[in-house]
Amino acid sequence: MLRIIGVDIGTSLTKAVVFDGAGASVAQASAPSQVRHLPGGAVEQDFEQVLGTVAAVVREVAAQLDGPVDALALTGQGDGVWLRDADGRLVRPAISWLDGRANALLTEWQRTGVSREVFARTGSGLFPGCAGPILAHLDEHEPWSLDRAVVAGYCVDAVLQRLTGEITVDISDASLPFVDPRTRRYDDDAIAACGLGHRKGLLAEPAKPHTVFRLDRTGADLLGLPVGLPVTGGPFDLPACAIGAGVREPGDGILTAGTTLACQVLTTRPEFDPAGEPAGMVLCTPDEDRYLRGMPAMVGTAGLDWACRMLGIEVETIGELLGASAPGANGVRALPFLSSSGERAPFVDAAARAQFTGLSLENSRADLVRALCESIAYAARHCFESAGLTGTLFANGGGVRSAEWTQIFADVLGRPVVIPGDPGVGARGAVLTAAEALSEPFDVDVWASHSRTVDYRPRVAEVYERGYAEYRDSLTSARDQWSR
């Protein structure tokens, strides 16, 4: 059996996990990454610090094993822009997918039809933290950074370059916003629509599915692993989580309740409605006949962190507070759009902002917390309706550690929710992909056998049917106000 270290390079935490043949973790480690929030909505990361977390967790996990490592499988955060030179050194701090410096530009693109033109060609809805708006913003305000760079890539391929010397990108990362999923190649007209035709040379050629790279001397010294060790670089965390959770049949979906709320549905066709809402994304996967219709909303556990700070409570008390307020939050309603970048799925609006209504002196902080959690679940339902969920729904992320919030998701969605039995779902997906690439696949049926299911409660689901209708009405009214 292969011993593969799966590394998931998240926005705020890097995790490394090794799994046994049954898909249970036998070694794991984690290290925090630093995220800098700057004036003007800018959000950046120090690549060297992020790379240091990768080295730390890999060395820690390798030390826990009683034998050699056979391969390294990378996944991690997508979007943003990580500008590098030929040696893999960043020419400026990494710009996060959370970044909002291009908010005004995106608003102008929505007004002038650029966003719709790109969506019609690639199925990808532009948002401030994706490569198109960021690169266009830099081209106008910081062209010297683009001039110094050899490649404009993402987190995973930046790490891969430093470990192997290879300049490439996984097709899943490249999918947003410039790849036409029907051809799996860059669309020149989409690039030109963003005013970036003269910068196309910064876009690395996507690697072929199941490509295996090798650690070079620099990477080996950094990680303490042998030169020549096989390395795979992707897919990025959204499709990796889908693979790791067990999404395999068309129509199956996965809800990732993390910093943001990522909703994805598996399909066999890369088709999309070019006249539809220009939001979400069509992600290519390692299998050339499988795609993920992704709706990664900007709402999520970051909203709960905000609520904890505002109310002076600890996140560990969320479950207790949810239990202290009834379904419907005693009349309190919320829109959960707390990100300074607005929303990106299932609609895009940089001006989207949160609101609470129905408050009175009789309401408690438990009602506020429950209203926020219910509104995020309504947002998930909106995303899955747009993505076309028809099959089994899986879920992962920090949010599903709360039994009470997971129950709210099941009741609002009106369907059972399957929770994988072992942590590190993104790393699991990366490891399963690496094993396929090395022609020694694991038994995915065995890996999926340790999950548990949270059933929905029909009577409570009826309450949420009314709540969801009110949520959609409130959202329609709010979008009209935001556009003024």
Side-chain angles (χ1 to χ4, degrees):
M1 181 191 72
L2 290 176
R3 288 191 176 192
I4 304 173
I5 298 179
V7 182
D8 186 350
I9 314 159
T11 305
S12 58
L13 191 71
T14 297
K15 295 163 287 201
V17 190
V18 176
F19 301 94
D20 63 17
S25 64
V26 296
Q28 54 185 297
S30 63
S33 291
Q34 298 167 6
V35 180
R36 295 197 295 261
H37 292 264
L38 305 172
V43 183
E44 298 182 347
Q45 291 194 267
D46 178 351
F47 176 54
E48 297 303 323
Q49 192 272 330
V50 173
L51 188 64
T53 67
V54 175
V57 297
V58 169
R59 284 177 174 272
E60 184 176 344
V61 164
Q64 297 174 34
L65 302 175
D66 58 4
V69 174
D70 295 307
L72 183 70
L74 303 176
T75 185
Q77 58 179 298
D79 299 312
V81 170
W82 299 56
L83 288 171
R84 291 119 54 195
D85 63 19
D87 296 322
R89 304 282 176 178
L90 261 66
V91 303
R92 67 167 329 282
I95 298 178
S96 169
W97 59 273
L98 290 165
D99 195 86
R101 75 189 69 198
N103 281 6
L105 175 62
L106 182 66
T107 299
E108 179 65 11
W109 282 3
Q110 290 173 323
R111 186 187 68 80
T112 59
V114 172
S115 293
R116 178 160 293 282
E117 181 177 353
V118 173
F119 178 80
R121 307 195 70 85
T122 69
S124 291
L126 298 177
F127 68 97
C130 75
I134 293 175
L135 288 172
H137 179 90
L138 292 177
D139 194 50
E140 179 179 357
H141 300 282
E142 201 180 303
W144 54 88
S145 291
L146 300 183
D147 293 340
R148 292 172 56 201
V150 169
V151 58
Y154 308 92
C155 176
V156 176
D157 50 271
V159 172
L160 182 72
Q161 184 181 357
R162 288 289 289 275
L163 298 181
T164 68
E166 300 284 350
I167 296 178
T168 185
V169 64
D170 188 79
I171 188 63
S172 62
D173 260 320
S175 292
L176 177 68
F178 298 129
V179 164
D180 181 343
R182 295 160 294 197
T183 63
R184 297 173 74 98
R185 299 187 63 82
Y186 291 119
D187 187 289
D188 289 343
D189 289 335
I191 296 170
C194 296
L196 294 168
H198 62 299
R199 298 292 190 182
K200 184 185 176 183
L202 291 174
L203 304 179
E205 190 65 26
K208 293 181 179 179
H210 300 112
T211 296
V212 177
F213 304 93
R214 302 281 173 177
L215 276 187
D216 63 13
R217 170 52 62 189
T218 299
D221 290 345
L222 180 69
L223 303 182
L225 296 175
V227 172
L229 186 80
V231 183
T232 55
F236 81 97
D237 57 5
L238 293 190
C241 284
I243 294 168
V247 174
R248 284 184 284 161
E249 298 298 326
D252 286 354
I254 180 170
L255 180 154
T256 300
T259 304
T260 62
L261 186 77
C263 303
Q264 304 174 82
V265 176
L266 187 67
T267 177
T268 58
R269 298 182 298 177
E271 297 174 1
F272 55 90
D273 179 7
E277 180 93 37
M281 56 190 73
V282 180
L283 299 175
C284 298
T285 76
D287 296 321
E288 293 186 307
D289 62 347
R290 291 289 187 272
Y291 305 84
L292 286 161
R293 182 67 174 136
M295 291 288 169
M298 296 297 285
V299 302
T301 59
L304 287 189
D305 293 338
W306 169 86
C308 289
R309 292 193 302 272
M310 292 293 290
L311 299 174
I313 60 178
E314 299 295 327
V315 70
E316 291 78 14
T317 66
I318 292 295
E320 179 183 346
L321 289 170
L322 290 175
S325 179
N330 292 315
V332 181
R333 298 287 184 265
L335 294 179
F337 310 111
L338 288 157
S339 171
S340 59
S341 298
E343 187 50 278
R344 62 175 177 172
F347 63 92
V348 177
D349 194 328
R353 292 297 180 265
Q355 61 182 239
F356 288 84
T357 58
L359 286 164
S360 74
L361 292 173
E362 297 179 354
N363 287 119
S364 66
R365 61 184 182 181
D367 296 330
L368 285 171
V369 169
R370 188 170 188 103
L372 180 59
C373 288
E374 288 177 348
S375 71
I376 294 171
Y378 291 143
R381 178 167 171 175
H382 193 187
C383 286
F384 279 121
E385 287 180 353
S386 300
L389 175 67
T390 58
T392 302
L393 177 62
F394 299 84
N396 74 299
V400 300
R401 296 194 192 107
S402 166
E404 294 82 3
W405 198 13
T406 304
Q407 187 65 62
I408 289 174
F409 278 118
D411 293 337
V412 166
L413 291 164
R415 62 175 62 238
V417 177
V418 180
I419 312 296
D422 200 86
V425 174
R428 282 163 62 100
V431 167
L432 288 171
T433 300
E436 287 277 356
L438 295 168
S439 300
E440 294 190 42
F442 290 98
D443 188 331
V444 291
D445 290 326
V446 172
W447 279 48
S449 64
H450 303 291
S451 61
R452 61 183 176 86
T453 299
V454 177
D455 291 317
Y456 75 99
R457 299 168 296 182
R459 289 186 179 179
V460 178
E462 291 178 6
V463 174
Y464 285 138
E465 280 294 329
R466 296 189 294 273
Y468 180 60
E470 293 174 0
Y471 169 86
R472 292 294 300 271
D473 287 343
S474 296
L475 178 58
T476 298
S477 298
R479 291 189 69 180
D480 180 60
Q481 294 173 359
W482 298 332
S483 65
R484 294 177 184 174

